[in-house]
Amino acid sequence: MPSDPPLILVVEDDAALRRVTCAMLGAGHYRVIEASSGQQALAEVAAHHPDAILLDLGLPDMDGLEVMRQISDLPMPPIVVFSARGIEEDKVAAFDAGAIDYLAKPFVASELLTRMHSALSRPISPTPDKSAAPNTSDTSIYQVGELTVDPDRLEVSLHGKPVSLTQIEWRLLLVMIWNRGKVVTNRQFAKAVWGPDSESECLRLRIYIGQLRRKLESDPTRPRYLKTESGIDYRLADV
Ligand code: CA
């Protein structure tokens, strides 16, 4: 017997747009549930455990980013953010909060279904694709200078104080640890962190590396650990 089609939660406060979006997904043979506010979205996630979420950033009771932050306490399904805002900082903030794709309004049905299909085939976890890392067996604790990273326990500390990293930052750091001392190219990085179709993510990568350096380096403009090679590639300093 075939299994049930994936269940998608559509979170959108504009009733007309929500109806159209649900109809598009229904025509694509997805099962659909809906929410018109952040609170309702959180209740639906807890009650129905959707396989993916299509999330509007501009909601009446709370920002879509806040919804994602609160969902991250629960098992988090893949989240595609859709927004009319179209601002680069919004996209980065959404990806940082755990979104795996971004869809600008207005969109057509084929675009929505393609994004949803790819979101469902790319479940998110803090662990990047190991096949992209040659040194896969090495998960020993990394310690250089004041920086300590325990890849097994997903713990990092600087000057003995714990540092909190987002999922994307963990992925970046793990790829660097698996390749410690070696150069990791922009393309290898993007592939390991965002999946095989993401080799065009180099700009985003630069933003995230900057973010990670601000958390892990005493002087982010002169990185001691997360080094840049040849202007575009990266290398984690080895012991
Ligand atoms: Ca809205």
PDB file of all heavy atoms in Angstrom, residues 21-57:
ATOM      1  N   THR A  21      -2.507  29.070  -1.995  1.00  0.00           N
ATOM      2  CA  THR A  21      -1.304  28.259  -1.762  1.00  0.00           C
ATOM      3  C   THR A  21      -1.692  26.821  -1.405  1.00  0.00           C
ATOM      4  O   THR A  21      -1.102  25.855  -1.906  1.00  0.00           O
ATOM      5  CB  THR A  21      -0.465  28.875  -0.618  1.00  0.00           C
ATOM      6  OG1 THR A  21      -0.213  30.241  -0.933  1.00  0.00           O
ATOM      7  CG2 THR A  21       0.848  28.145  -0.451  1.00  0.00           C
ATOM      8  N   CYS A  22      -2.692  26.678  -0.541  1.00  0.00           N
ATOM      9  CA  CYS A  22      -3.149  25.332  -0.157  1.00  0.00           C
ATOM     10  C   CYS A  22      -3.707  24.591  -1.368  1.00  0.00           C
ATOM     11  O   CYS A  22      -3.461  23.382  -1.535  1.00  0.00           O
ATOM     12  CB  CYS A  22      -4.223  25.419   0.927  1.00  0.00           C
ATOM     13  SG  CYS A  22      -3.584  25.966   2.515  1.00  0.00           S
ATOM     14  N   ALA A  23      -4.418  25.318  -2.232  1.00  0.00           N
ATOM     15  CA  ALA A  23      -4.963  24.679  -3.435  1.00  0.00           C
ATOM     16  C   ALA A  23      -3.841  24.206  -4.355  1.00  0.00           C
ATOM     17  O   ALA A  23      -3.899  23.114  -4.922  1.00  0.00           O
ATOM     18  CB  ALA A  23      -5.884  25.661  -4.169  1.00  0.00           C
ATOM     19  N   MET A  24      -2.806  25.038  -4.490  1.00  0.00           N
ATOM     20  CA  MET A  24      -1.653  24.648  -5.334  1.00  0.00           C
ATOM     21  C   MET A  24      -1.003  23.376  -4.800  1.00  0.00           C
ATOM     22  O   MET A  24      -0.682  22.457  -5.544  1.00  0.00           O
ATOM     23  CB  MET A  24      -0.596  25.765  -5.346  1.00  0.00           C
ATOM     24  CG  MET A  24      -0.944  26.996  -6.155  1.00  0.00           C
ATOM     25  SD  MET A  24       0.367  28.252  -5.895  1.00  0.00           S
ATOM     26  CE  MET A  24      -0.164  29.516  -7.057  1.00  0.00           C
ATOM     27  N   LEU A  25      -0.829  23.322  -3.474  1.00  0.00           N
ATOM     28  CA  LEU A  25      -0.182  22.149  -2.875  1.00  0.00           C
ATOM     29  C   LEU A  25      -1.089  20.922  -2.983  1.00  0.00           C
ATOM     30  O   LEU A  25      -0.622  19.811  -3.243  1.00  0.00           O
ATOM     31  CB  LEU A  25       0.173  22.427  -1.413  1.00  0.00           C
ATOM     32  CG  LEU A  25       1.303  23.433  -1.197  1.00  0.00           C
ATOM     33  CD1 LEU A  25       1.379  23.851   0.263  1.00  0.00           C
ATOM     34  CD2 LEU A  25       2.642  22.848  -1.641  1.00  0.00           C
ATOM     35  N   GLY A  26      -2.400  21.151  -2.799  1.00  0.00           N
ATOM     36  CA  GLY A  26      -3.354  20.047  -2.930  1.00  0.00           C
ATOM     37  C   GLY A  26      -3.330  19.473  -4.342  1.00  0.00           C
ATOM     38  O   GLY A  26      -3.355  18.250  -4.535  1.00  0.00           O
ATOM     39  N   ALA A  27      -3.241  20.374  -5.335  1.00  0.00           N
ATOM     40  CA  ALA A  27      -3.174  19.921  -6.732  1.00  0.00           C
ATOM     41  C   ALA A  27      -1.879  19.159  -6.993  1.00  0.00           C
ATOM     42  O   ALA A  27      -1.806  18.340  -7.905  1.00  0.00           O
ATOM     43  CB  ALA A  27      -3.286  21.125  -7.671  1.00  0.00           C
ATOM     44  N   GLY A  28      -0.854  19.437  -6.171  1.00  0.00           N
ATOM     45  CA  GLY A  28       0.420  18.706  -6.293  1.00  0.00           C
ATOM     46  C   GLY A  28       0.412  17.437  -5.450  1.00  0.00           C
ATOM     47  O   GLY A  28       1.455  16.832  -5.232  1.00  0.00           O
ATOM     48  N   HIS A  29      -0.795  17.070  -4.954  1.00  0.00           N
ATOM     49  CA  HIS A  29      -1.000  15.826  -4.207  1.00  0.00           C
ATOM     50  C   HIS A  29      -0.343  15.805  -2.840  1.00  0.00           C
ATOM     51  O   HIS A  29       0.003  14.747  -2.330  1.00  0.00           O
ATOM     52  CB  HIS A  29      -0.557  14.607  -5.035  1.00  0.00           C
ATOM     53  CG  HIS A  29      -1.235  14.538  -6.371  1.00  0.00           C
ATOM     54  ND1 HIS A  29      -2.581  14.289  -6.503  1.00  0.00           N
ATOM     55  CD2 HIS A  29      -0.768  14.763  -7.613  1.00  0.00           C
ATOM     56  CE1 HIS A  29      -2.911  14.334  -7.770  1.00  0.00           C
ATOM     57  NE2 HIS A  29      -1.834  14.625  -8.478  1.00  0.00           N
ATOM     58  N   TYR A  30      -0.161  16.985  -2.247  1.00  0.00           N
ATOM     59  CA  TYR A  30       0.268  17.022  -0.856  1.00  0.00           C
ATOM     60  C   TYR A  30      -0.964  17.096   0.036  1.00  0.00           C
ATOM     61  O   TYR A  30      -2.007  17.597  -0.371  1.00  0.00           O
ATOM     62  CB  TYR A  30       1.137  18.258  -0.591  1.00  0.00           C
ATOM     63  CG  TYR A  30       2.487  18.185  -1.251  1.00  0.00           C
ATOM     64  CD1 TYR A  30       2.806  18.999  -2.328  1.00  0.00           C
ATOM     65  CD2 TYR A  30       3.443  17.289  -0.785  1.00  0.00           C
ATOM     66  CE1 TYR A  30       4.053  18.933  -2.937  1.00  0.00           C
ATOM     67  CE2 TYR A  30       4.686  17.208  -1.390  1.00  0.00           C
ATOM     68  CZ  TYR A  30       4.990  18.036  -2.460  1.00  0.00           C
ATOM     69  OH  TYR A  30       6.207  17.951  -3.052  1.00  0.00           O
ATOM     70  N   ARG A  31      -0.840  16.608   1.260  1.00  0.00           N
ATOM     71  CA  ARG A  31      -1.863  16.873   2.267  1.00  0.00           C
ATOM     72  C   ARG A  31      -1.501  18.211   2.910  1.00  0.00           C
ATOM     73  O   ARG A  31      -0.320  18.510   3.090  1.00  0.00           O
ATOM     74  CB  ARG A  31      -1.882  15.773   3.333  1.00  0.00           C
ATOM     75  CG  ARG A  31      -2.358  14.413   2.775  1.00  0.00           C
ATOM     76  CD  ARG A  31      -2.350  13.351   3.870  1.00  0.00           C
ATOM     77  NE  ARG A  31      -1.005  13.155   4.387  1.00  0.00           N
ATOM     78  CZ  ARG A  31      -0.704  12.923   5.662  1.00  0.00           C
ATOM     79  NH1 ARG A  31      -1.653  12.876   6.578  1.00  0.00           N
ATOM     80  NH2 ARG A  31       0.538  12.740   6.045  1.00  0.00           N
ATOM     81  N   VAL A  32      -2.523  19.008   3.225  1.00  0.00           N
ATOM     82  CA  VAL A  32      -2.260  20.374   3.669  1.00  0.00           C
ATOM     83  C   VAL A  32      -3.021  20.683   4.955  1.00  0.00           C
ATOM     84  O   VAL A  32      -4.188  20.330   5.089  1.00  0.00           O
ATOM     85  CB  VAL A  32      -2.692  21.387   2.576  1.00  0.00           C
ATOM     86  CG1 VAL A  32      -2.319  22.800   2.988  1.00  0.00           C
ATOM     87  CG2 VAL A  32      -2.053  21.051   1.237  1.00  0.00           C
ATOM     88  N   ILE A  33      -2.342  21.330   5.906  1.00  0.00           N
ATOM     89  CA  ILE A  33      -3.039  21.945   7.039  1.00  0.00           C
ATOM     90  C   ILE A  33      -2.619  23.409   7.052  1.00  0.00           C
ATOM     91  O   ILE A  33      -1.612  23.777   6.445  1.00  0.00           O
ATOM     92  CB  ILE A  33      -2.716  21.274   8.398  1.00  0.00           C
ATOM     93  CG1 ILE A  33      -1.213  21.095   8.578  1.00  0.00           C
ATOM     94  CG2 ILE A  33      -3.422  19.937   8.508  1.00  0.00           C
ATOM     95  CD1 ILE A  33      -0.829  20.524   9.940  1.00  0.00           C
ATOM     96  N   GLU A  34      -3.410  24.257   7.705  1.00  0.00           N
ATOM     97  CA  GLU A  34      -3.098  25.682   7.630  1.00  0.00           C
ATOM     98  C   GLU A  34      -3.134  26.365   8.982  1.00  0.00           C
ATOM     99  O   GLU A  34      -3.769  25.884   9.923  1.00  0.00           O
ATOM    100  CB  GLU A  34      -4.026  26.395   6.639  1.00  0.00           C
ATOM    101  CG  GLU A  34      -5.408  25.800   6.517  1.00  0.00           C
ATOM    102  CD  GLU A  34      -6.241  26.503   5.446  1.00  0.00           C
ATOM    103  OE1 GLU A  34      -6.483  27.714   5.590  1.00  0.00           O
ATOM    104  OE2 GLU A  34      -6.657  25.831   4.483  1.00  0.00           O
ATOM    105  N   ALA A  35      -2.431  27.505   9.033  1.00  0.00           N
ATOM    106  CA  ALA A  35      -2.449  28.352  10.232  1.00  0.00           C
ATOM    107  C   ALA A  35      -2.361  29.796   9.771  1.00  0.00           C
ATOM    108  O   ALA A  35      -1.696  30.102   8.784  1.00  0.00           O
ATOM    109  CB  ALA A  35      -1.269  28.013  11.136  1.00  0.00           C
ATOM    110  N   SER A  36      -3.067  30.684  10.514  1.00  0.00           N
ATOM    111  CA  SER A  36      -3.071  32.090  10.114  1.00  0.00           C
ATOM    112  C   SER A  36      -2.268  32.960  11.073  1.00  0.00           C
ATOM    113  O   SER A  36      -2.194  34.165  10.914  1.00  0.00           O
ATOM    114  CB  SER A  36      -4.508  32.603  10.030  1.00  0.00           C
ATOM    115  OG  SER A  36      -5.138  32.436  11.289  1.00  0.00           O
ATOM    116  N   SER A  37      -1.660  32.340  12.078  1.00  0.00           N
ATOM    117  CA  SER A  37      -0.846  33.122  13.026  1.00  0.00           C
ATOM    118  C   SER A  37       0.315  32.255  13.517  1.00  0.00           C
ATOM    119  O   SER A  37       0.326  31.034  13.321  1.00  0.00           O
ATOM    120  CB  SER A  37      -1.701  33.524  14.231  1.00  0.00           C
ATOM    121  OG  SER A  37      -2.027  32.370  14.992  1.00  0.00           O
ATOM    122  N   GLY A  38       1.264  32.903  14.162  1.00  0.00           N
ATOM    123  CA  GLY A  38       2.412  32.178  14.697  1.00  0.00           C
ATOM    124  C   GLY A  38       2.013  31.187  15.780  1.00  0.00           C
ATOM    125  O   GLY A  38       2.477  30.043  15.796  1.00  0.00           O
ATOM    126  N   GLN A  39       1.141  31.633  16.682  1.00  0.00           N
ATOM    127  CA  GLN A  39       0.709  30.751  17.778  1.00  0.00           C
ATOM    128  C   GLN A  39       0.000  29.512  17.234  1.00  0.00           C
ATOM    129  O   GLN A  39       0.228  28.396  17.693  1.00  0.00           O
ATOM    130  CB  GLN A  39      -0.237  31.500  18.728  1.00  0.00           C
ATOM    131  CG  GLN A  39       0.451  32.491  19.646  1.00  0.00           C
ATOM    132  CD  GLN A  39       1.485  31.833  20.566  1.00  0.00           C
ATOM    133  OE1 GLN A  39       1.512  30.605  20.718  1.00  0.00           O
ATOM    134  NE2 GLN A  39       2.366  32.624  21.141  1.00  0.00           N
ATOM    135  N   GLN A  40      -0.876  29.759  16.243  1.00  0.00           N
ATOM    136  CA  GLN A  40      -1.599  28.634  15.650  1.00  0.00           C
ATOM    137  C   GLN A  40      -0.616  27.681  14.961  1.00  0.00           C
ATOM    138  O   GLN A  40      -0.748  26.458  15.040  1.00  0.00           O
ATOM    139  CB  GLN A  40      -2.627  29.157  14.648  1.00  0.00           C
ATOM    140  CG  GLN A  40      -3.718  28.154  14.351  1.00  0.00           C
ATOM    141  CD  GLN A  40      -4.640  28.613  13.225  1.00  0.00           C
ATOM    142  OE1 GLN A  40      -4.665  29.792  12.864  1.00  0.00           O
ATOM    143  NE2 GLN A  40      -5.382  27.682  12.659  1.00  0.00           N
ATOM    144  N   ALA A  41       0.411  28.258  14.302  1.00  0.00           N
ATOM    145  CA  ALA A  41       1.418  27.430  13.628  1.00  0.00           C
ATOM    146  C   ALA A  41       2.122  26.524  14.636  1.00  0.00           C
ATOM    147  O   ALA A  41       2.291  25.317  14.398  1.00  0.00           O
ATOM    148  CB  ALA A  41       2.434  28.325  12.913  1.00  0.00           C
ATOM    149  N   LEU A  42       2.509  27.089  15.779  1.00  0.00           N
ATOM    150  CA  LEU A  42       3.210  26.292  16.794  1.00  0.00           C
ATOM    151  C   LEU A  42       2.309  25.166  17.313  1.00  0.00           C
ATOM    152  O   LEU A  42       2.765  24.035  17.512  1.00  0.00           O
ATOM    153  CB  LEU A  42       3.653  27.190  17.956  1.00  0.00           C
ATOM    154  CG  LEU A  42       4.738  28.216  17.595  1.00  0.00           C
ATOM    155  CD1 LEU A  42       4.942  29.212  18.732  1.00  0.00           C
ATOM    156  CD2 LEU A  42       6.048  27.518  17.254  1.00  0.00           C
ATOM    157  N   ALA A  43       1.016  25.483  17.483  1.00  0.00           N
ATOM    158  CA  ALA A  43       0.069  24.464  17.955  1.00  0.00           C
ATOM    159  C   ALA A  43      -0.072  23.351  16.908  1.00  0.00           C
ATOM    160  O   ALA A  43      -0.116  22.157  17.255  1.00  0.00           O
ATOM    161  CB  ALA A  43      -1.288  25.110  18.236  1.00  0.00           C
ATOM    162  N   GLU A  44      -0.141  23.725  15.632  1.00  0.00           N
ATOM    163  CA  GLU A  44      -0.288  22.723  14.560  1.00  0.00           C
ATOM    164  C   GLU A  44       0.962  21.832  14.480  1.00  0.00           C
ATOM    165  O   GLU A  44       0.855  20.622  14.254  1.00  0.00           O
ATOM    166  CB  GLU A  44      -0.522  23.410  13.200  1.00  0.00           C
ATOM    167  CG  GLU A  44      -1.856  24.143  13.090  1.00  0.00           C
ATOM    168  CD  GLU A  44      -3.054  23.191  13.045  1.00  0.00           C
ATOM    169  OE1 GLU A  44      -2.874  22.030  12.683  1.00  0.00           O
ATOM    170  OE2 GLU A  44      -4.168  23.637  13.390  1.00  0.00           O
ATOM    171  N   VAL A  45       2.123  22.442  14.641  1.00  0.00           N
ATOM    172  CA  VAL A  45       3.371  21.654  14.578  1.00  0.00           C
ATOM    173  C   VAL A  45       3.376  20.625  15.708  1.00  0.00           C
ATOM    174  O   VAL A  45       3.681  19.446  15.502  1.00  0.00           O
ATOM    175  CB  VAL A  45       4.621  22.570  14.679  1.00  0.00           C
ATOM    176  CG1 VAL A  45       5.890  21.734  14.840  1.00  0.00           C
ATOM    177  CG2 VAL A  45       4.731  23.447  13.436  1.00  0.00           C
ATOM    178  N   ALA A  46       3.025  21.090  16.913  1.00  0.00           N
ATOM    179  CA  ALA A  46       3.030  20.180  18.066  1.00  0.00           C
ATOM    180  C   ALA A  46       1.986  19.074  17.903  1.00  0.00           C
ATOM    181  O   ALA A  46       2.221  17.923  18.271  1.00  0.00           O
ATOM    182  CB  ALA A  46       2.766  20.977  19.342  1.00  0.00           C
ATOM    183  N   ALA A  47       0.826  19.416  17.315  1.00  0.00           N
ATOM    184  CA  ALA A  47      -0.265  18.446  17.241  1.00  0.00           C
ATOM    185  C   ALA A  47      -0.123  17.485  16.066  1.00  0.00           C
ATOM    186  O   ALA A  47      -0.463  16.310  16.171  1.00  0.00           O
ATOM    187  CB  ALA A  47      -1.603  19.188  17.144  1.00  0.00           C
ATOM    188  N   HIS A  48       0.361  17.976  14.922  1.00  0.00           N
ATOM    189  CA  HIS A  48       0.297  17.164  13.693  1.00  0.00           C
ATOM    190  C   HIS A  48       1.652  16.793  13.094  1.00  0.00           C
ATOM    191  O   HIS A  48       1.698  16.061  12.103  1.00  0.00           O
ATOM    192  CB  HIS A  48      -0.544  17.894  12.637  1.00  0.00           C
ATOM    193  CG  HIS A  48      -1.955  18.143  13.075  1.00  0.00           C
ATOM    194  ND1 HIS A  48      -2.871  17.129  13.221  1.00  0.00           N
ATOM    195  CD2 HIS A  48      -2.596  19.283  13.448  1.00  0.00           C
ATOM    196  CE1 HIS A  48      -4.029  17.628  13.635  1.00  0.00           C
ATOM    197  NE2 HIS A  48      -3.885  18.937  13.797  1.00  0.00           N
ATOM    198  N   HIS A  49       2.747  17.328  13.631  1.00  0.00           N
ATOM    199  CA  HIS A  49       4.094  16.993  13.133  1.00  0.00           C
ATOM    200  C   HIS A  49       4.166  17.001  11.601  1.00  0.00           C
ATOM    201  O   HIS A  49       4.403  15.964  10.992  1.00  0.00           O
ATOM    202  CB  HIS A  49       4.549  15.622  13.659  1.00  0.00           C
ATOM    203  CG  HIS A  49       4.419  15.494  15.132  1.00  0.00           C
ATOM    204  ND1 HIS A  49       5.218  16.177  16.022  1.00  0.00           N
ATOM    205  CD2 HIS A  49       3.536  14.785  15.888  1.00  0.00           C
ATOM    206  CE1 HIS A  49       4.860  15.897  17.256  1.00  0.00           C
ATOM    207  NE2 HIS A  49       3.838  15.065  17.221  1.00  0.00           N
ATOM    208  N   PRO A  50       3.947  18.157  10.965  1.00  0.00           N
ATOM    209  CA  PRO A  50       3.981  18.199   9.502  1.00  0.00           C
ATOM    210  C   PRO A  50       5.359  17.795   8.959  1.00  0.00           C
ATOM    211  O   PRO A  50       6.363  17.909   9.665  1.00  0.00           O
ATOM    212  CB  PRO A  50       3.681  19.668   9.180  1.00  0.00           C
ATOM    213  CG  PRO A  50       4.019  20.421  10.422  1.00  0.00           C
ATOM    214  CD  PRO A  50       3.736  19.490  11.558  1.00  0.00           C
ATOM    215  N   ASP A  51       5.371  17.311   7.715  1.00  0.00           N
ATOM    216  CA  ASP A  51       6.633  16.901   7.088  1.00  0.00           C
ATOM    217  C   ASP A  51       7.429  18.095   6.592  1.00  0.00           C
ATOM    218  O   ASP A  51       8.635  17.997   6.372  1.00  0.00           O
ATOM    219  CB  ASP A  51       6.342  15.951   5.919  1.00  0.00           C
ATOM    220  CG  ASP A  51       5.669  14.677   6.404  1.00  0.00           C
ATOM    221  OD1 ASP A  51       6.297  13.979   7.216  1.00  0.00           O
ATOM    222  OD2 ASP A  51       4.519  14.412   6.007  1.00  0.00           O
ATOM    223  N   ALA A  52       6.734  19.208   6.348  1.00  0.00           N
ATOM    224  CA  ALA A  52       7.418  20.441   5.933  1.00  0.00           C
ATOM    225  C   ALA A  52       6.505  21.609   6.263  1.00  0.00           C
ATOM    226  O   ALA A  52       5.297  21.438   6.456  1.00  0.00           O
ATOM    227  CB  ALA A  52       7.729  20.425   4.439  1.00  0.00           C
ATOM    228  N   ILE A  53       7.103  22.798   6.364  1.00  0.00           N
ATOM    229  CA  ILE A  53       6.324  24.002   6.676  1.00  0.00           C
ATOM    230  C   ILE A  53       6.632  25.068   5.640  1.00  0.00           C
ATOM    231  O   ILE A  53       7.799  25.283   5.292  1.00  0.00           O
ATOM    232  CB  ILE A  53       6.677  24.544   8.075  1.00  0.00           C
ATOM    233  CG1 ILE A  53       6.457  23.478   9.135  1.00  0.00           C
ATOM    234  CG2 ILE A  53       5.852  25.792   8.389  1.00  0.00           C
ATOM    235  CD1 ILE A  53       6.905  23.881  10.533  1.00  0.00           C
ATOM    236  N   LEU A  54       5.573  25.689   5.149  1.00  0.00           N
ATOM    237  CA  LEU A  54       5.730  26.856   4.291  1.00  0.00           C
ATOM    238  C   LEU A  54       5.346  28.043   5.157  1.00  0.00           C
ATOM    239  O   LEU A  54       4.196  28.142   5.603  1.00  0.00           O
ATOM    240  CB  LEU A  54       4.806  26.721   3.079  1.00  0.00           C
ATOM    241  CG  LEU A  54       4.954  27.746   1.982  1.00  0.00           C
ATOM    242  CD1 LEU A  54       6.335  27.686   1.350  1.00  0.00           C
ATOM    243  CD2 LEU A  54       3.887  27.506   0.904  1.00  0.00           C
ATOM    244  N   LEU A  55       6.286  28.901   5.447  1.00  0.00           N
ATOM    245  CA  LEU A  55       6.098  29.889   6.517  1.00  0.00           C
ATOM    246  C   LEU A  55       6.242  31.318   6.009  1.00  0.00           C
ATOM    247  O   LEU A  55       7.290  31.694   5.466  1.00  0.00           O
ATOM    248  CB  LEU A  55       7.158  29.614   7.604  1.00  0.00           C
ATOM    249  CG  LEU A  55       7.195  30.550   8.795  1.00  0.00           C
ATOM    250  CD1 LEU A  55       5.939  30.449   9.636  1.00  0.00           C
ATOM    251  CD2 LEU A  55       8.431  30.248   9.663  1.00  0.00           C
ATOM    252  N   ASP A  56       5.190  32.104   6.227  1.00  0.00           N
ATOM    253  CA  ASP A  56       5.244  33.533   5.915  1.00  0.00           C
ATOM    254  C   ASP A  56       6.045  34.247   7.005  1.00  0.00           C
ATOM    255  O   ASP A  56       5.917  33.916   8.184  1.00  0.00           O
ATOM    256  CB  ASP A  56       3.799  34.061   5.872  1.00  0.00           C
ATOM    257  CG  ASP A  56       3.738  35.543   5.560  1.00  0.00           C
ATOM    258  OD1 ASP A  56       4.648  36.035   4.861  1.00  0.00           O
ATOM    259  OD2 ASP A  56       2.786  36.200   6.015  1.00  0.00           O
ATOM    260  N   LEU A  57       6.872  35.216   6.613  1.00  0.00           N
ATOM    261  CA  LEU A  57       7.663  35.928   7.634  1.00  0.00           C
ATOM    262  C   LEU A  57       6.846  36.985   8.362  1.00  0.00           C
ATOM    263  O   LEU A  57       7.063  37.255   9.533  1.00  0.00           O
ATOM    264  CB  LEU A  57       8.897  36.577   6.998  1.00  0.00           C
ATOM    265  CG  LEU A  57      10.047  35.654   6.622  1.00  0.00           C
ATOM    266  CD1 LEU A  57      11.220  36.464   6.099  1.00  0.00           C
ATOM    267  CD2 LEU A  57      10.493  34.805   7.798  1.00  0.00           C
TER     268      LEU A  57
END
